[in-house]
PDB file of all heavy atoms in Angstrom:
ATOM      1  N   GLU A  53       4.179   6.662  -9.264  1.00  0.00           N
ATOM      2  CA  GLU A  53       5.395   6.543 -10.106  1.00  0.00           C
ATOM      3  C   GLU A  53       5.090   6.212 -11.561  1.00  0.00           C
ATOM      4  O   GLU A  53       5.756   6.725 -12.444  1.00  0.00           O
ATOM      5  CB  GLU A  53       6.377   5.497  -9.510  1.00  0.00           C
ATOM      6  CG  GLU A  53       6.942   5.935  -8.176  1.00  0.00           C
ATOM      7  CD  GLU A  53       8.009   4.956  -7.643  1.00  0.00           C
ATOM      8  OE1 GLU A  53       8.320   3.991  -8.359  1.00  0.00           O
ATOM      9  OE2 GLU A  53       8.481   5.193  -6.536  1.00  0.00           O
ATOM     10  N   SER A  54       4.126   5.362 -11.829  1.00  0.00           N
ATOM     11  CA  SER A  54       3.850   4.942 -13.210  1.00  0.00           C
ATOM     12  C   SER A  54       2.423   4.454 -13.309  1.00  0.00           C
ATOM     13  O   SER A  54       1.752   4.188 -12.304  1.00  0.00           O
ATOM     14  CB  SER A  54       4.823   3.801 -13.597  1.00  0.00           C
ATOM     15  OG  SER A  54       4.554   2.647 -12.799  1.00  0.00           O
ATOM     16  N   LYS A  55       2.008   4.281 -14.537  1.00  0.00           N
ATOM     17  CA  LYS A  55       0.666   3.677 -14.772  1.00  0.00           C
ATOM     18  C   LYS A  55       0.595   2.284 -14.156  1.00  0.00           C
ATOM     19  O   LYS A  55      -0.412   1.943 -13.539  1.00  0.00           O
ATOM     20  CB  LYS A  55       0.456   3.611 -16.310  1.00  0.00           C
ATOM     21  CG  LYS A  55      -0.835   2.930 -16.741  1.00  0.00           C
ATOM     22  CD  LYS A  55      -0.910   2.925 -18.267  1.00  0.00           C
ATOM     23  CE  LYS A  55      -2.042   2.042 -18.802  1.00  0.00           C
ATOM     24  NZ  LYS A  55      -2.101   2.055 -20.271  1.00  0.00           N
ATOM     25  N   ALA A  56       1.672   1.511 -14.310  1.00  0.00           N
ATOM     26  CA  ALA A  56       1.693   0.160 -13.784  1.00  0.00           C
ATOM     27  C   ALA A  56       1.607   0.161 -12.247  1.00  0.00           C
ATOM     28  O   ALA A  56       0.918  -0.637 -11.639  1.00  0.00           O
ATOM     29  CB  ALA A  56       2.946  -0.555 -14.224  1.00  0.00           C
ATOM     30  N   GLY A  57       2.297   1.128 -11.612  1.00  0.00           N
ATOM     31  CA  GLY A  57       2.258   1.214 -10.158  1.00  0.00           C
ATOM     32  C   GLY A  57       0.863   1.577  -9.645  1.00  0.00           C
ATOM     33  O   GLY A  57       0.387   1.065  -8.635  1.00  0.00           O
ATOM     34  N   TYR A  58       0.202   2.436 -10.389  1.00  0.00           N
ATOM     35  CA  TYR A  58      -1.155   2.867 -10.047  1.00  0.00           C
ATOM     36  C   TYR A  58      -2.120   1.681 -10.193  1.00  0.00           C
ATOM     37  O   TYR A  58      -2.967   1.426  -9.348  1.00  0.00           O
ATOM     38  CB  TYR A  58      -1.531   4.003 -10.992  1.00  0.00           C
ATOM     39  CG  TYR A  58      -2.902   4.602 -10.841  1.00  0.00           C
ATOM     40  CD1 TYR A  58      -3.411   5.001  -9.618  1.00  0.00           C
ATOM     41  CD2 TYR A  58      -3.665   4.840 -11.968  1.00  0.00           C
ATOM     42  CE1 TYR A  58      -4.666   5.599  -9.520  1.00  0.00           C
ATOM     43  CE2 TYR A  58      -4.934   5.416 -11.906  1.00  0.00           C
ATOM     44  CZ  TYR A  58      -5.403   5.784 -10.656  1.00  0.00           C
ATOM     45  OH  TYR A  58      -6.642   6.385 -10.564  1.00  0.00           O
ATOM     46  N   TYR A  59      -2.002   0.968 -11.307  1.00  0.00           N
ATOM     47  CA  TYR A  59      -2.830  -0.220 -11.573  1.00  0.00           C
ATOM     48  C   TYR A  59      -2.678  -1.248 -10.492  1.00  0.00           C
ATOM     49  O   TYR A  59      -3.641  -1.809  -9.977  1.00  0.00           O
ATOM     50  CB  TYR A  59      -2.420  -0.788 -12.937  1.00  0.00           C
ATOM     51  CG  TYR A  59      -3.252  -1.910 -13.480  1.00  0.00           C
ATOM     52  CD1 TYR A  59      -4.577  -1.740 -13.791  1.00  0.00           C
ATOM     53  CD2 TYR A  59      -2.651  -3.162 -13.734  1.00  0.00           C
ATOM     54  CE1 TYR A  59      -5.339  -2.778 -14.318  1.00  0.00           C
ATOM     55  CE2 TYR A  59      -3.371  -4.193 -14.277  1.00  0.00           C
ATOM     56  CZ  TYR A  59      -4.721  -3.999 -14.573  1.00  0.00           C
ATOM     57  OH  TYR A  59      -5.448  -5.035 -15.116  1.00  0.00           O
ATOM     58  N   SER A  60      -1.436  -1.519 -10.103  1.00  0.00           N
ATOM     59  CA  SER A  60      -1.138  -2.467  -9.051  1.00  0.00           C
ATOM     60  C   SER A  60      -1.744  -2.046  -7.742  1.00  0.00           C
ATOM     61  O   SER A  60      -2.340  -2.841  -7.016  1.00  0.00           O
ATOM     62  CB  SER A  60       0.384  -2.622  -8.905  1.00  0.00           C
ATOM     63  OG  SER A  60       0.685  -3.470  -7.820  1.00  0.00           O
ATOM     64  N   PHE A  61      -1.624  -0.746  -7.402  1.00  0.00           N
ATOM     65  CA  PHE A  61      -2.209  -0.213  -6.185  1.00  0.00           C
ATOM     66  C   PHE A  61      -3.740  -0.420  -6.165  1.00  0.00           C
ATOM     67  O   PHE A  61      -4.296  -0.859  -5.181  1.00  0.00           O
ATOM     68  CB  PHE A  61      -1.885   1.288  -6.022  1.00  0.00           C
ATOM     69  CG  PHE A  61      -2.765   1.967  -5.027  1.00  0.00           C
ATOM     70  CD1 PHE A  61      -2.492   1.892  -3.703  1.00  0.00           C
ATOM     71  CD2 PHE A  61      -3.893   2.676  -5.452  1.00  0.00           C
ATOM     72  CE1 PHE A  61      -3.304   2.534  -2.753  1.00  0.00           C
ATOM     73  CE2 PHE A  61      -4.710   3.313  -4.526  1.00  0.00           C
ATOM     74  CZ  PHE A  61      -4.442   3.241  -3.174  1.00  0.00           C
ATOM     75  N   LEU A  62      -4.364  -0.077  -7.278  1.00  0.00           N
ATOM     76  CA  LEU A  62      -5.842  -0.188  -7.356  1.00  0.00           C
ATOM     77  C   LEU A  62      -6.300  -1.620  -7.142  1.00  0.00           C
ATOM     78  O   LEU A  62      -7.291  -1.886  -6.446  1.00  0.00           O
ATOM     79  CB  LEU A  62      -6.350   0.356  -8.695  1.00  0.00           C
ATOM     80  CG  LEU A  62      -6.285   1.837  -8.914  1.00  0.00           C
ATOM     81  CD1 LEU A  62      -6.647   2.202 -10.345  1.00  0.00           C
ATOM     82  CD2 LEU A  62      -7.175   2.605  -7.923  1.00  0.00           C
ATOM     83  N   TYR A  63      -5.604  -2.561  -7.766  1.00  0.00           N
ATOM     84  CA  TYR A  63      -5.990  -3.960  -7.622  1.00  0.00           C
ATOM     85  C   TYR A  63      -5.864  -4.441  -6.176  1.00  0.00           C
ATOM     86  O   TYR A  63      -6.758  -5.067  -5.595  1.00  0.00           O
ATOM     87  CB  TYR A  63      -5.146  -4.852  -8.535  1.00  0.00           C
ATOM     88  CG  TYR A  63      -5.520  -6.315  -8.453  1.00  0.00           C
ATOM     89  CD1 TYR A  63      -6.742  -6.749  -8.934  1.00  0.00           C
ATOM     90  CD2 TYR A  63      -4.666  -7.236  -7.859  1.00  0.00           C
ATOM     91  CE1 TYR A  63      -7.120  -8.102  -8.833  1.00  0.00           C
ATOM     92  CE2 TYR A  63      -5.005  -8.558  -7.777  1.00  0.00           C
ATOM     93  CZ  TYR A  63      -6.234  -8.997  -8.276  1.00  0.00           C
ATOM     94  OH  TYR A  63      -6.589 -10.327  -8.166  1.00  0.00           O
ATOM     95  N   ASP A  64      -4.750  -4.084  -5.562  1.00  0.00           N
ATOM     96  CA  ASP A  64      -4.512  -4.450  -4.173  1.00  0.00           C
ATOM     97  C   ASP A  64      -5.559  -3.797  -3.242  1.00  0.00           C
ATOM     98  O   ASP A  64      -6.149  -4.429  -2.375  1.00  0.00           O
ATOM     99  CB  ASP A  64      -3.087  -4.058  -3.777  1.00  0.00           C
ATOM    100  CG  ASP A  64      -2.705  -4.613  -2.400  1.00  0.00           C
ATOM    101  OD1 ASP A  64      -2.926  -5.817  -2.137  1.00  0.00           O
ATOM    102  OD2 ASP A  64      -2.200  -3.839  -1.566  1.00  0.00           O
ATOM    103  N   TYR A  65      -5.774  -2.501  -3.466  1.00  0.00           N
ATOM    104  CA  TYR A  65      -6.705  -1.756  -2.615  1.00  0.00           C
ATOM    105  C   TYR A  65      -8.129  -2.297  -2.781  1.00  0.00           C
ATOM    106  O   TYR A  65      -8.824  -2.537  -1.789  1.00  0.00           O
ATOM    107  CB  TYR A  65      -6.669  -0.268  -2.999  1.00  0.00           C
ATOM    108  CG  TYR A  65      -7.622   0.564  -2.171  1.00  0.00           C
ATOM    109  CD1 TYR A  65      -7.272   0.974  -0.859  1.00  0.00           C
ATOM    110  CD2 TYR A  65      -8.881   0.914  -2.668  1.00  0.00           C
ATOM    111  CE1 TYR A  65      -8.170   1.719  -0.108  1.00  0.00           C
ATOM    112  CE2 TYR A  65      -9.769   1.662  -1.902  1.00  0.00           C
ATOM    113  CZ  TYR A  65      -9.410   2.052  -0.650  1.00  0.00           C
ATOM    114  OH  TYR A  65     -10.282   2.775   0.135  1.00  0.00           O
ATOM    115  N   ALA A  66      -8.587  -2.473  -4.006  1.00  0.00           N
ATOM    116  CA  ALA A  66      -9.964  -2.925  -4.254  1.00  0.00           C
ATOM    117  C   ALA A  66     -10.197  -4.297  -3.648  1.00  0.00           C
ATOM    118  O   ALA A  66     -11.238  -4.561  -3.049  1.00  0.00           O
ATOM    119  CB  ALA A  66     -10.252  -2.940  -5.752  1.00  0.00           C
ATOM    120  N   THR A  67      -9.215  -5.167  -3.803  1.00  0.00           N
ATOM    121  CA  THR A  67      -9.349  -6.540  -3.252  1.00  0.00           C
ATOM    122  C   THR A  67      -9.410  -6.497  -1.734  1.00  0.00           C
ATOM    123  O   THR A  67     -10.322  -7.070  -1.128  1.00  0.00           O
ATOM    124  CB  THR A  67      -8.146  -7.406  -3.712  1.00  0.00           C
ATOM    125  OG1 THR A  67      -8.161  -7.462  -5.159  1.00  0.00           O
ATOM    126  CG2 THR A  67      -8.241  -8.819  -3.140  1.00  0.00           C
ATOM    127  N   ARG A  68      -8.473  -5.818  -1.143  1.00  0.00           N
ATOM    128  CA  ARG A  68      -8.419  -5.757   0.355  1.00  0.00           C
ATOM    129  C   ARG A  68      -9.664  -5.093   0.941  1.00  0.00           C
ATOM    130  O   ARG A  68     -10.240  -5.560   1.916  1.00  0.00           O
ATOM    131  CB  ARG A  68      -7.191  -5.017   0.835  1.00  0.00           C
ATOM    132  CG  ARG A  68      -5.888  -5.748   0.634  1.00  0.00           C
ATOM    133  CD  ARG A  68      -4.710  -4.825   0.953  1.00  0.00           C
ATOM    134  NE  ARG A  68      -3.426  -5.426   0.728  1.00  0.00           N
ATOM    135  CZ  ARG A  68      -2.667  -5.950   1.677  1.00  0.00           C
ATOM    136  NH1 ARG A  68      -3.085  -5.948   2.937  1.00  0.00           N
ATOM    137  NH2 ARG A  68      -1.506  -6.475   1.403  1.00  0.00           N
ATOM    138  N   TYR A  69     -10.080  -3.987   0.300  1.00  0.00           N
ATOM    139  CA  TYR A  69     -11.209  -3.220   0.853  1.00  0.00           C
ATOM    140  C   TYR A  69     -12.498  -4.036   0.747  1.00  0.00           C
ATOM    141  O   TYR A  69     -13.278  -4.068   1.687  1.00  0.00           O
ATOM    142  CB  TYR A  69     -11.319  -1.895   0.079  1.00  0.00           C
ATOM    143  CG  TYR A  69     -12.306  -0.950   0.741  1.00  0.00           C
ATOM    144  CD1 TYR A  69     -12.035  -0.336   1.957  1.00  0.00           C
ATOM    145  CD2 TYR A  69     -13.545  -0.646   0.139  1.00  0.00           C
ATOM    146  CE1 TYR A  69     -12.920   0.535   2.566  1.00  0.00           C
ATOM    147  CE2 TYR A  69     -14.429   0.211   0.738  1.00  0.00           C
ATOM    148  CZ  TYR A  69     -14.123   0.789   1.932  1.00  0.00           C
ATOM    149  OH  TYR A  69     -15.023   1.652   2.529  1.00  0.00           O
TER     150      TYR A  69
END
Side-chain angles (χ1 to χ4, degrees):
E53 296 185 2
S54 65
K55 176 181 170 180
Y58 180 49
Y59 186 63
S60 175
F61 164 82
L62 288 173
Y63 181 69
D64 188 49
Y65 179 81
T67 300
R68 288 172 183 260
Y69 190 70

